[in-house]
Amino acid sequence: MRREPSITRRLILALTSTMVIFWLAAIGLGIQVMQHEFDELFDSAQQETAQRLLALIVDDLNQRAETYASGVAILNTPASREYLTYQVRDKDGNVVLRSNDASPEPFDAPLVRGFHNNDHQRIYTEATADDALFMQVADRLGNRREAVRESAVTLLLPLIVLIPASIFAIWLILGRALKPIETLRRDIATKDSGNMAAIEGDGLPKEIKPIARSVNLLLARLRSALEAEREFTANSAHELRTPIAGALAQTQRLAEELSAGAARTRALQVESSLVDLGRLAEKLLQLSRAEAGIGASDKAADLSKVLEMIVSDYERDSRTKGRVNYVPDAGATLVRYADMDAFGIVMRNLIENALLHGDQDRPATVSLDKAGTIRVVNGGPAIREADLAGLKKRFRRGTTSASGSGLGLAIADRIVAQMGGTLELLSPASDETSGFEAKVNLPA
């Protein structure tokens, strides 16, 4: 699975890589400087050693009054490996004295004062005043390379700790630096048609203040567009109420005056159409109120009283009497921070949906448990899961022949969300093999 692009990941990789590159470049420069300084230090020690040894050996030979041409003397020392080896040679190039780790063969260097390099050694030559004896001190080039190599490794070792420490430090710093962006993202995520308040940009860094200003301009345009849409919907629905009611009354009167026949049948059809049109106008008015964000409230109210009143209204209506059963748990209450009118719209839509689309031979059941969960259950065949997921969308209806606008569940879901709750649709209903259930949970 391909990972999503991440600014933090890119910055951590870029900054860590840059740091490592600079560190390696510094090590390379440091190695060059160290190599130069080591060469100076070793050359100085080599030259000083040659001068001191030559003086001591000449003095020792003079005291013994021995001829050094009689053979090669070996100076035995306890060291198993000498960093500096030397040979004392006469003017003919013969070795008359050497250290125990030195080669018995003459060094590959001319008998001339100064330094000379061969493939494996750097040799310094010093001579007596009469040029009768020559002291040659050799330093293995491998010793110098080893010193430089060990120094370089010592500089590289901190990278083992520095890389993970740098990644953690950069991640921590970026987390704090990007915190305003995350805050802005959360603020933007809360914006919807019910929350179009401008984003506070005073505490934001100057780099992202233009984003906040652009979002606020966009929100202002959306507010204007939504307000215009709501006003149009509300005004249209409100203005349609009176003429629809008048036309419905006239149609009903006309239907009563006509005798049985084709004309009366058409009048009844017109009456049914006007009833549906009036219901649609009412739904549009409710939708405009839902879009305006009427659900939230800063005052607590006992919504169980509202629920009892709504059920009693259906019981008093001759068309729905006996079709709604209210089954509250003993002692159940529903004290919530919600607008009572908005809650009434939700429950009327859910009950109306149950009565219109449920089994006409079975009453709808409204229940309230002690946890505050409201369930509206109706009979009927189970709804497919694919169809169930789309019932909360506007103008979306299930497979039914009943009249309706397809707005009731969308309005209820919108208002419940504004209250901070959830509307869950289930089919078949809980503990049933068929039917439909709308379950409302509001936060305490």
Side-chain angles (χ1 to χ4, degrees):
M1 181 177 180
R2 185 178 180 182
R3 292 187 298 181
E4 295 182 355
S6 170
I7 295 177
T8 302
R9 190 184 305 116
R10 289 179 180 177
L11 286 175
I12 289 176
L13 180 61
L15 292 176
T16 304
S17 301
T18 303
M19 183 207 64
V20 171
I21 291 172
F22 277 115
W23 186 274
L24 294 176
I27 291 176
L29 181 61
I31 289 174
Q32 292 182 357
V33 174
M34 283 189 297
Q35 188 171 10
H36 177 71
E37 295 298 327
F38 284 167
D39 286 342
E40 289 184 351
L41 182 62
F42 291 147
D43 287 350
S44 175
Q46 192 174 354
Q47 184 176 0
E48 186 175 349
T49 300
Q51 293 171 352
R52 294 289 186 271
L53 284 175
L54 181 60
L56 292 173
I57 290 172
V58 170
D59 182 67
D60 183 65
L61 290 176
N62 290 333
Q63 288 181 4
R64 293 183 182 183
E66 297 177 352
T67 176
Y68 43 80
S70 60
V72 178
I74 300 176
L75 182 61
N76 292 316
T77 63
S80 61
R81 180 176 181 269
E82 297 173 341
Y83 285 93
L84 292 177
T85 58
Y86 65 87
Q87 292 177 348
V88 178
R89 300 168 64 183
D90 58 19
K91 59 183 179 181
D92 295 326
N94 299 315
V95 178
V96 297
L97 181 67
R98 65 181 176 88
S99 60
N100 64 347
D101 204 21
S103 171
E105 298 296 327
F107 290 145
D108 182 16
L111 297 178
V112 178
R113 287 184 178 88
F115 288 95
H116 178 77
N117 289 348
N118 57 32
D119 294 338
H120 304 289
Q121 295 172 317
R122 182 169 174 81
I123 301 170
Y124 178 73
T125 303
E126 185 65 40
T128 59
D130 58 357
D131 290 335
L133 291 177
F134 294 87
M135 168 66 71
Q136 290 186 323
V137 178
D139 182 16
R140 296 183 181 89
L141 296 177
N143 294 335
R144 303 190 180 199
R145 296 190 189 101
E146 182 181 0
V148 174
R149 184 167 58 251
E150 290 179 353
S151 300
V153 171
T154 303
L155 292 175
L156 285 171
L157 286 177
L159 280 178
I160 299 175
V161 178
L162 187 62
I163 291 176
S166 299
I167 291 174
F168 176 76
I170 294 171
W171 174 80
L172 188 62
I173 294 170
L174 284 177
R176 294 182 179 180
L178 296 177
K179 189 175 181 180
I181 298 178
E182 177 63 20
T183 302
L184 178 62
R185 185 198 65 78
R186 288 197 301 265
D187 289 342
I188 295 175
T190 62
K191 303 305 175 184
D192 55 20
S193 58
N195 179 14
M196 286 289 178
I199 295 173
E200 294 292 338
D202 295 337
L204 296 176
K206 65 179 183 179
E207 289 82 2
I208 61 175
K209 276 187 177 180
I211 298 177
R213 284 196 295 268
S214 299
V215 171
N216 286 336
L217 289 174
L218 178 60
L219 288 175
R221 294 176 183 175
L222 286 175
R223 278 197 301 271
S224 299
L226 287 174
E227 286 172 1
E229 179 185 354
R230 291 168 185 168
E231 289 179 2
F232 174 77
T233 304
N235 291 337
S236 299
H238 184 72
E239 293 298 329
L240 284 174
R241 276 177 159 182
T242 301
I244 290 174
L248 180 60
Q250 293 296 329
T251 303
Q252 289 172 341
R253 182 175 179 181
L254 178 61
E256 291 177 358
E257 293 176 352
L258 292 173
S259 58
R264 191 170 188 276
T265 301
R266 290 175 183 172
L268 293 175
Q269 291 174 347
V270 173
E271 178 188 3
S272 177
S273 299
L274 289 173
V275 169
D276 292 340
L277 184 58
R279 187 181 294 114
L280 176 60
E282 183 66 25
K283 294 299 180 186
L284 290 175
L285 188 59
Q286 290 180 359
L287 179 62
S288 66
R289 296 183 64 190
E291 292 293 339
I294 64 171
S297 175
D298 57 355
K299 294 182 180 180
D302 189 358
L303 301 180
S304 62
K305 307 288 186 182
V306 179
L307 188 57
E308 292 174 1
M309 183 182 66
I310 293 172
V311 174
S312 63
D313 287 345
Y314 279 99
E315 187 63 25
R316 285 194 296 267
D317 191 334
S318 59
R319 295 171 298 179
T320 57
K321 184 177 181 179
R323 295 196 59 203
V324 180
N325 291 336
Y326 181 45
V327 187
D329 286 353
T333 59
L334 192 61
V335 180
R336 298 290 187 270
Y337 285 94
D339 183 81
M340 290 190 291
D341 289 340
F343 178 74
I345 293 175
V346 171
M347 296 314 303
R348 289 186 183 278
N349 277 285
L350 295 181
I351 295 173
E352 180 181 334
N353 182 78
L355 295 176
L356 281 176
H357 305 293
D359 189 346
Q360 301 300 308
D361 296 330
R362 293 179 55 186
T365 301
V366 181
S367 62
L368 173 64
D369 60 24
K370 291 183 179 180
T373 301
I374 308 165
R375 290 180 172 85
V376 180
V377 181
N378 60 266
I383 301 175
R384 294 185 307 170
E385 186 176 355
D387 296 333
L388 194 67
L391 291 180
K392 293 181 183 180
K393 297 180 179 179
R394 298 180 185 179
F395 303 103
R396 183 68 63 86
R397 302 181 63 203
T399 305
T400 177
S401 58
S403 61
S405 61
L407 289 173
L409 292 178
I411 294 170
D413 182 63
R414 183 65 179 168
I415 296 177
V416 169
Q418 293 169 5
M419 296 177 180
T422 58
L423 172 61
E424 186 178 359
L425 305 181
L426 304 173
S427 184
S430 301
D431 302 326
E432 299 285 346
T433 58
S434 62
F436 178 84
E437 176 182 345
K439 182 166 65 175
V440 178
N441 285 298
L442 299 178

